[in-house]
Amino acid sequence: MNKLLIHKISYSNLCAQFSEQIIIAVLPIIAVLSMNASAAETAFIQMINTLPFLLLSIPMGVIADRVSRKKLMILIEIVRATAIFLLFYLTFSGSLSINKIALFGFFIAMGTVIYSVASPALVASFIIKEQLINANRSIEIAKSVAFTAGPALGGILTSYLSGGLAFILAFLLSIVSAIFLICLPKEPILKKSGRNILQELYDGLIFLVKNKYLMPITITAFVFNLSQYLLLSIFAYYVINNLSFTSFEVGASLSLIGLGMLIGSFLYKIISKKINFGFQLTLGPLSAFMASILMFLTIIYHSKSLVFIAFFLFGFGPIIWTISTVSLRQLVTPSNMIAKISSVIMTVTFGARPLGAALGVYISANFGVKACISAVLIGFLIQLIIILFSKPAKLKNLSDAEK
């Protein structure tokens, strides 16, 4: 039963993430190639598209702890599909603009926020603690497949019907994701706390701040996301105009993040047996820092290969981090607080994404796009230093966190 549930949630995740990754690849490419968008404009699109992580994570976490997560996730997939369809319509009506791309990207990102907040709690409600790592690994493998194929396919389809085919595929995938969720059994009834929402949020925040494992992980993830989305906000403009990338090569670069994630997910069982849990947590920040060095070198050596290797590393190490940190969070957090804690963490960490994109707008407009690449290197160095000197890095086994 648990395996069947994991498969359904994984397939839903696969379709939802596939849809999102296609759109993430397509929107900046269309902006640069069809609308001659500047680096600041592509960074603006990225900033608006990531604002839901900052604005909605906590409210959605509160809602996800009080209503059916399954129904909530189904509803938001329908909203996502509607936004994608409207983008398709605007493309063929010839009325698509930078502002409209940003606006509908905002609604599409809402689906990712709610899915990310509600999914860990939904999994934890169905799966016993001993199976959490395997469940999270299966889900991350599904997501990794989407991260691998989605951007590359999006890059290819951008060349056909002005991106229309990409929008159609993303729309259908979002609908299929909702269907898999509909096929899930009714989730366990949530116990009503009867407590004030603000008090619950305060308790969740205090729990996070006082927890010696979750707090340093959250700070590290904040700096990681800030740096990553500073890079992604100007990436399409940078590689198209400085390294002569085609739309397919932009998509292929982004897909290498997914390939790194996919390989990392499959190798996780082997890696987890070879290295202790603390080093699993440092592997992601270390891999990201190495990738940022390679990206910095593209300023001097205009090599596409450096970009490809860098983006593989951006996926490989961080997926080890994701599997490990999600499992750690689920282990040390009371079951009735998982969605709230997930939402608070997402607000702090994923909320760094629009801040990183806004930083991309400012730096690219005032100092140029190459200055953004230098700032990315500094950011990834900082996140590595933070985790290296933290309590989680000293854990030998996941079970030690319960002591």
Side-chain angles (χ1 to χ4, degrees):
M1 181 64 173
N2 280 342
K3 285 186 177 181
L4 183 59
L5 286 172
I6 292 171
H7 287 323
K8 287 180 179 179
I9 296 174
S10 296
Y11 293 149
S12 175
N13 243 304
L14 171 63
C15 294
Q17 294 289 340
F18 210 129
S19 174
E20 180 200 27
Q21 288 304 308
I22 289 174
I23 296 300
I24 285 176
V26 167
L27 294 185
I29 294 174
I30 289 177
V32 173
L33 295 181
S34 301
M35 303 179 186
N36 296 315
S38 66
E41 286 175 322
T42 61
F44 169 75
I45 291 172
Q46 190 73 259
M47 180 181 69
I48 300 301
N49 289 179
T50 51
L51 267 180
F53 293 98
L54 182 62
L55 301 179
L56 301 177
S57 294
I58 286 180
M60 290 303 106
V62 171
I63 293 173
D65 271 340
R66 292 171 175 266
V67 303
S68 166
R69 289 107 180 204
K70 172 185 170 180
K71 291 179 181 178
L72 183 63
M73 292 162 71
I74 292 170
L75 175 63
I76 199 57
E77 280 305 309
I78 294 173
V79 171
R80 191 208 302 263
T82 301
I84 294 171
F85 179 81
L86 289 172
L87 275 172
F88 170 78
Y89 171 77
L90 290 170
T91 299
F92 278 90
S93 66
S95 54
L96 194 62
S97 66
I98 296 293
N99 289 337
K100 289 175 182 176
I101 287 177
L103 175 63
F104 286 103
F106 179 93
F107 286 102
I108 292 169
M110 283 177 58
T112 305
V113 172
I114 294 177
Y115 212 105
S116 299
V117 168
S119 181
L122 184 65
V123 171
S125 70
F126 283 128
I127 309 300
I128 61 176
K129 284 188 174 182
E130 289 75 14
Q131 296 179 341
L132 280 177
I133 285 186
N134 284 334
N136 290 328
R137 176 175 170 270
S138 296
I139 291 171
E140 291 304 325
I141 287 174
K143 289 168 64 176
S144 300
V145 172
F147 272 71
T148 302
L153 190 56
I156 294 171
L157 294 180
T158 304
S159 303
Y160 299 93
L161 298 178
S162 302
L165 283 181
F167 291 136
I168 292 173
L169 180 58
F171 169 80
L172 293 175
L173 285 167
S174 195
I175 294 297
V176 173
S177 174
I179 292 173
F180 276 117
L181 289 171
I182 292 171
C183 293
L184 288 173
K186 187 176 181 180
E187 63 192 291
I189 298 175
L190 296 172
K191 294 181 180 179
K192 303 294 183 182
S193 66
R195 301 182 64 204
N196 182 273
I197 291 178
L198 292 179
Q199 182 62 48
E200 289 193 354
L201 281 176
Y202 175 78
D203 290 346
L205 181 60
I206 293 300
F207 179 85
L208 173 64
V209 170
K210 290 185 175 181
N211 191 281
K212 60 184 178 181
Y213 299 120
L214 296 184
M215 191 58 183
I217 284 174
T218 302
I219 296 173
T220 302
F222 172 84
V223 182
F224 175 93
N225 278 276
L226 185 78
S227 306
Q228 185 181 44
Y229 275 77
L230 168 56
L231 172 62
L232 292 178
S233 70
I234 51 87
F235 177 69
Y237 178 88
Y238 174 71
V239 295
I240 289 173
N241 289 281
N242 291 270
L243 303 179
S244 302
F245 269 48
T246 64
S247 61
F248 171 74
E249 287 171 329
V250 174
S253 299
L254 294 171
S255 73
L256 283 170
I257 295 180
L259 180 61
M261 292 172 64
L262 186 61
I263 293 176
S265 298
F266 277 114
L267 293 180
Y268 180 79
K269 279 191 174 181
I270 297 174
I271 293 172
S272 63
K273 292 177 182 177
K274 299 293 183 181
I275 61 177
N276 64 41
F277 190 76
F279 189 67
Q280 292 173 38
L281 296 177
T282 62
L283 191 58
L286 176 61
S287 178
F289 175 61
M290 293 170 61
S292 69
I293 293 175
L294 295 178
M295 283 302 303
F296 179 78
L297 289 176
T298 63
I299 297 176
I300 305 169
Y301 307 103
H302 293 180
S303 169
K304 295 181 180 181
S305 297
L306 290 176
V307 176
F308 295 144
I309 297 170
F311 272 66
F312 176 84
L313 291 175
F314 277 132
F316 179 78
I319 196 61
I320 305 299
W321 159 278
T322 299
I323 296 172
S324 302
T325 56
V326 169
S327 299
L328 177 60
R329 183 168 78 236
Q330 290 169 329
L331 183 67
V332 302
T333 305
S335 59
N336 65 332
M337 293 180 66
I338 289 177
K340 282 189 290 292
I341 293 297
S342 295
S343 66
V344 171
I345 290 176
M346 182 175 293
T347 299
V348 175
T349 58
F350 285 13
R353 294 179 174 186
L355 298 180
L359 197 58
V361 174
Y362 176 78
I363 295 176
S364 62
N366 290 278
F367 305 101
V369 70
K370 292 181 180 178
C372 293
I373 303 297
S374 300
V376 167
L377 176 63
I378 296 171
F380 279 116
L381 173 60
I382 293 172
Q383 54 96 43
L384 176 59
I385 292 172
I386 293 171
I387 197 64
L388 284 176
F389 293 95
S390 69
K391 288 281 186 182
K394 296 176 176 60
L395 285 171
K396 292 184 178 180
N397 302 289
L398 175 60
S399 58
D400 291 342
E402 287 187 301
K403 297 178 182 177

PDB file of all heavy atoms in Angstrom, residues 17 79 93 96 119 134 147 163 166 182 226 252 298 321 351 378:
ATOM      1  N   GLN A  17       6.279  19.033 -11.630  1.00  0.00           N
ATOM      2  CA  GLN A  17       7.616  19.618 -11.791  1.00  0.00           C
ATOM      3  C   GLN A  17       8.006  19.713 -13.265  1.00  0.00           C
ATOM      4  O   GLN A  17       8.667  20.671 -13.680  1.00  0.00           O
ATOM      5  CB  GLN A  17       8.646  18.782 -11.033  1.00  0.00           C
ATOM      6  CG  GLN A  17       8.492  18.795  -9.526  1.00  0.00           C
ATOM      7  CD  GLN A  17       8.860  20.114  -8.903  1.00  0.00           C
ATOM      8  OE1 GLN A  17       9.565  20.927  -9.503  1.00  0.00           O
ATOM      9  NE2 GLN A  17       8.384  20.365  -7.694  1.00  0.00           N
ATOM     10  N   VAL A  79      -5.370  25.695 -11.057  1.00  0.00           N
ATOM     11  CA  VAL A  79      -5.009  27.115 -11.211  1.00  0.00           C
ATOM     12  C   VAL A  79      -3.772  27.243 -12.104  1.00  0.00           C
ATOM     13  O   VAL A  79      -3.721  28.093 -13.001  1.00  0.00           O
ATOM     14  CB  VAL A  79      -4.738  27.761  -9.836  1.00  0.00           C
ATOM     15  CG1 VAL A  79      -4.145  29.162 -10.002  1.00  0.00           C
ATOM     16  CG2 VAL A  79      -6.024  27.826  -9.020  1.00  0.00           C
ATOM     17  N   SER A  93      -2.319  35.254 -29.779  1.00  0.00           N
ATOM     18  CA  SER A  93      -3.078  36.469 -30.083  1.00  0.00           C
ATOM     19  C   SER A  93      -2.145  37.648 -30.330  1.00  0.00           C
ATOM     20  O   SER A  93      -2.597  38.738 -30.698  1.00  0.00           O
ATOM     21  CB  SER A  93      -4.036  36.802 -28.930  1.00  0.00           C
ATOM     22  OG  SER A  93      -3.295  37.157 -27.762  1.00  0.00           O
ATOM     23  N   LEU A  96       1.310  39.054 -26.006  1.00  0.00           N
ATOM     24  CA  LEU A  96       2.184  38.702 -24.890  1.00  0.00           C
ATOM     25  C   LEU A  96       3.204  39.817 -24.667  1.00  0.00           C
ATOM     26  O   LEU A  96       3.724  40.394 -25.621  1.00  0.00           O
ATOM     27  CB  LEU A  96       2.903  37.384 -25.181  1.00  0.00           C
ATOM     28  CG  LEU A  96       3.601  36.689 -24.004  1.00  0.00           C
ATOM     29  CD1 LEU A  96       2.591  36.308 -22.935  1.00  0.00           C
ATOM     30  CD2 LEU A  96       4.348  35.450 -24.491  1.00  0.00           C
ATOM     31  N   SER A 119       3.053  18.886   0.204  1.00  0.00           N
ATOM     32  CA  SER A 119       3.525  17.546  -0.138  1.00  0.00           C
ATOM     33  C   SER A 119       4.272  16.836   1.002  1.00  0.00           C
ATOM     34  O   SER A 119       3.977  15.671   1.291  1.00  0.00           O
ATOM     35  CB  SER A 119       4.398  17.599  -1.393  1.00  0.00           C
ATOM     36  OG  SER A 119       4.835  16.310  -1.756  1.00  0.00           O
ATOM     37  N   ASN A 134      13.295   6.626   2.062  1.00  0.00           N
ATOM     38  CA  ASN A 134      13.012   5.963   0.787  1.00  0.00           C
ATOM     39  C   ASN A 134      11.890   6.687   0.027  1.00  0.00           C
ATOM     40  O   ASN A 134      11.948   6.815  -1.203  1.00  0.00           O
ATOM     41  CB  ASN A 134      12.612   4.508   1.032  1.00  0.00           C
ATOM     42  CG  ASN A 134      13.800   3.637   1.366  1.00  0.00           C
ATOM     43  OD1 ASN A 134      14.934   3.945   0.971  1.00  0.00           O
ATOM     44  ND2 ASN A 134      13.577   2.563   2.095  1.00  0.00           N
ATOM     45  N   PHE A 147      13.386  17.758 -13.891  1.00  0.00           N
ATOM     46  CA  PHE A 147      14.413  18.787 -13.992  1.00  0.00           C
ATOM     47  C   PHE A 147      15.388  18.492 -15.133  1.00  0.00           C
ATOM     48  O   PHE A 147      16.000  19.407 -15.680  1.00  0.00           O
ATOM     49  CB  PHE A 147      15.193  18.893 -12.671  1.00  0.00           C
ATOM     50  CG  PHE A 147      14.570  19.828 -11.679  1.00  0.00           C
ATOM     51  CD1 PHE A 147      13.382  19.498 -11.041  1.00  0.00           C
ATOM     52  CD2 PHE A 147      15.159  21.038 -11.373  1.00  0.00           C
ATOM     53  CE1 PHE A 147      12.797  20.354 -10.118  1.00  0.00           C
ATOM     54  CE2 PHE A 147      14.586  21.908 -10.462  1.00  0.00           C
ATOM     55  CZ  PHE A 147      13.404  21.565  -9.824  1.00  0.00           C
ATOM     56  N   GLY A 163       6.772  29.008 -29.058  1.00  0.00           N
ATOM     57  CA  GLY A 163       6.672  28.466 -27.705  1.00  0.00           C
ATOM     58  C   GLY A 163       5.322  27.846 -27.403  1.00  0.00           C
ATOM     59  O   GLY A 163       5.106  27.320 -26.305  1.00  0.00           O
ATOM     60  N   ALA A 166       5.251  24.208 -26.255  1.00  0.00           N
ATOM     61  CA  ALA A 166       5.728  24.069 -24.875  1.00  0.00           C
ATOM     62  C   ALA A 166       4.594  24.349 -23.893  1.00  0.00           C
ATOM     63  O   ALA A 166       4.425  23.635 -22.896  1.00  0.00           O
ATOM     64  CB  ALA A 166       6.899  25.020 -24.623  1.00  0.00           C
ATOM     65  N   ILE A 182      -5.965  12.987  -7.477  1.00  0.00           N
ATOM     66  CA  ILE A 182      -7.350  12.555  -7.296  1.00  0.00           C
ATOM     67  C   ILE A 182      -7.417  11.063  -6.981  1.00  0.00           C
ATOM     68  O   ILE A 182      -8.278  10.603  -6.216  1.00  0.00           O
ATOM     69  CB  ILE A 182      -8.188  12.883  -8.556  1.00  0.00           C
ATOM     70  CG1 ILE A 182      -8.343  14.398  -8.707  1.00  0.00           C
ATOM     71  CG2 ILE A 182      -9.558  12.209  -8.506  1.00  0.00           C
ATOM     72  CD1 ILE A 182      -8.950  14.846 -10.020  1.00  0.00           C
ATOM     73  N   LEU A 226      19.385  32.599  -2.561  1.00  0.00           N
ATOM     74  CA  LEU A 226      19.689  33.969  -2.952  1.00  0.00           C
ATOM     75  C   LEU A 226      20.707  33.978  -4.091  1.00  0.00           C
ATOM     76  O   LEU A 226      20.535  34.672  -5.103  1.00  0.00           O
ATOM     77  CB  LEU A 226      20.238  34.737  -1.750  1.00  0.00           C
ATOM     78  CG  LEU A 226      20.507  36.234  -1.958  1.00  0.00           C
ATOM     79  CD1 LEU A 226      19.195  37.017  -1.911  1.00  0.00           C
ATOM     80  CD2 LEU A 226      21.463  36.756  -0.898  1.00  0.00           C
ATOM     81  N   ALA A 252      19.258  23.021 -22.456  1.00  0.00           N
ATOM     82  CA  ALA A 252      20.137  21.887 -22.126  1.00  0.00           C
ATOM     83  C   ALA A 252      20.939  22.169 -20.866  1.00  0.00           C
ATOM     84  O   ALA A 252      21.134  21.277 -20.027  1.00  0.00           O
ATOM     85  CB  ALA A 252      21.077  21.602 -23.300  1.00  0.00           C
ATOM     86  N   THR A 298      33.873  31.459 -16.732  1.00  0.00           N
ATOM     87  CA  THR A 298      33.353  31.735 -18.082  1.00  0.00           C
ATOM     88  C   THR A 298      33.519  33.206 -18.462  1.00  0.00           C
ATOM     89  O   THR A 298      33.425  33.553 -19.637  1.00  0.00           O
ATOM     90  CB  THR A 298      31.868  31.350 -18.200  1.00  0.00           C
ATOM     91  OG1 THR A 298      31.082  32.155 -17.300  1.00  0.00           O
ATOM     92  CG2 THR A 298      31.646  29.886 -17.899  1.00  0.00           C
ATOM     93  N   TRP A 321      21.638  17.045  -0.479  1.00  0.00           N
ATOM     94  CA  TRP A 321      21.230  17.969   0.582  1.00  0.00           C
ATOM     95  C   TRP A 321      19.716  17.923   0.780  1.00  0.00           C
ATOM     96  O   TRP A 321      19.228  17.838   1.911  1.00  0.00           O
ATOM     97  CB  TRP A 321      21.682  19.387   0.212  1.00  0.00           C
ATOM     98  CG  TRP A 321      20.953  20.510   0.891  1.00  0.00           C
ATOM     99  CD1 TRP A 321      19.754  21.048   0.534  1.00  0.00           C
ATOM    100  CD2 TRP A 321      21.382  21.237   2.049  1.00  0.00           C
ATOM    101  NE1 TRP A 321      19.419  22.072   1.369  1.00  0.00           N
ATOM    102  CE2 TRP A 321      20.393  22.208   2.318  1.00  0.00           C
ATOM    103  CE3 TRP A 321      22.507  21.177   2.863  1.00  0.00           C
ATOM    104  CZ2 TRP A 321      20.494  23.111   3.371  1.00  0.00           C
ATOM    105  CZ3 TRP A 321      22.599  22.074   3.916  1.00  0.00           C
ATOM    106  CH2 TRP A 321      21.609  23.018   4.166  1.00  0.00           C
ATOM    107  N   GLY A 351      11.916  32.325  -0.151  1.00  0.00           N
ATOM    108  CA  GLY A 351      11.675  33.759  -0.203  1.00  0.00           C
ATOM    109  C   GLY A 351      12.917  34.517  -0.618  1.00  0.00           C
ATOM    110  O   GLY A 351      12.844  35.672  -1.045  1.00  0.00           O
ATOM    111  N   ILE A 378      30.629  34.802  -4.552  1.00  0.00           N
ATOM    112  CA  ILE A 378      30.729  35.210  -3.148  1.00  0.00           C
ATOM    113  C   ILE A 378      29.605  34.580  -2.317  1.00  0.00           C
ATOM    114  O   ILE A 378      29.825  34.085  -1.204  1.00  0.00           O
ATOM    115  CB  ILE A 378      30.685  36.749  -3.034  1.00  0.00           C
ATOM    116  CG1 ILE A 378      31.908  37.367  -3.716  1.00  0.00           C
ATOM    117  CG2 ILE A 378      30.621  37.182  -1.572  1.00  0.00           C
ATOM    118  CD1 ILE A 378      31.848  38.872  -3.848  1.00  0.00           C
TER     119      ILE A 378
END
